[in-house]
Amino acid sequence: MWPYKNITRNEFEKRKDFVEYIICTLGGEKINIKLPYEQKTTSLNDKLNESNYFQRPFYKFKDEYFRVDEVLFYNKPFIVLEYAKSISEVINNTMTDLEPFPYDLMDNNIVKEIKYSMGIEPYPNI
């Protein structure tokens, strides 16, 4: 059951669509891959048990692969890019989650987060 009152699942999915749009504008190429498994994300903690089955595409950027995914935290959902160095990592479902970011960042900050995740710009030193 979707746990948030301030955003619907549909609104959150549209925000992930925006992230995919930005990936494409930055040079990511949408690729079709037939997976031997069902795409599913499960967020589980003492207050939440939410599964999401999805059909998000993969993107190739340079020689790396990305997919938009999610992490559901207590207060709000976050978006995360999954990363793989090779197509075999994608097919074997061994992608790595990169740094998650809140869905409700301003658009220009989401673009920055995507650039950091895709290695286009370095993460800022804090």
Side-chain angles (χ1 to χ4, degrees):
M1 182 171 147
W2 187 248
Y4 306 105
K5 305 280 187 248
N6 58 338
I7 184 170
T8 66
R9 167 57 85 178
N10 190 45
E11 291 167 331
F12 183 53
E13 293 298 324
K14 286 181 181 178
R15 202 63 176 150
K16 293 192 303 188
D17 292 343
F18 174 71
V19 170
E20 291 178 347
Y21 167 77
I22 297 303
I23 291 170
C24 289
T25 64
L26 294 172
E29 176 188 348
K30 186 176 179 179
I31 58 172
N32 293 317
I33 300 173
K34 179 108 171 116
L35 298 174
Y37 56 87
E38 186 173 43
Q39 295 183 60
K40 176 183 173 184
T41 296
T42 301
S43 294
L44 180 63
N45 58 48
D46 60 336
K47 294 185 180 181
L48 176 67
N49 183 352
E50 173 76 11
S51 292
N52 181 36
Y53 295 88
F54 59 95
Q55 294 297 318
R56 290 268 166 201
F58 293 88
Y59 296 88
K60 184 175 182 180
F61 180 74
K62 298 184 180 177
D63 290 326
E64 301 170 325
Y65 300 87
F66 298 90
R67 176 176 56 187
V68 176
D69 202 358
E70 64 188 47
V71 180
L72 305 181
F73 291 114
Y74 288 119
N75 296 331
K76 61 183 165 183
F78 278 55
I79 297 170
V80 64
L81 294 186
E82 291 184 311
Y83 163 79
K85 293 178 188 175
S86 68
I87 197 73
S88 65
E89 288 180 352
V90 171
I91 292 171
N92 292 319
N93 198 23
T94 57
M95 297 181 80
T96 301
D97 285 351
L98 300 175
E99 288 295 320
F101 52 89
Y103 81 94
D104 58 354
L105 291 176
M106 301 280 292
D107 289 356
N108 63 323
N109 289 328
I110 287 200
V111 172
K112 288 179 186 178
E113 292 292 337
I114 296 165
K115 286 180 177 180
Y116 302 150
S117 292
M118 293 176 67
I120 296 169
E121 291 182 7
Y123 281 97
N125 293 331
I126 298 175

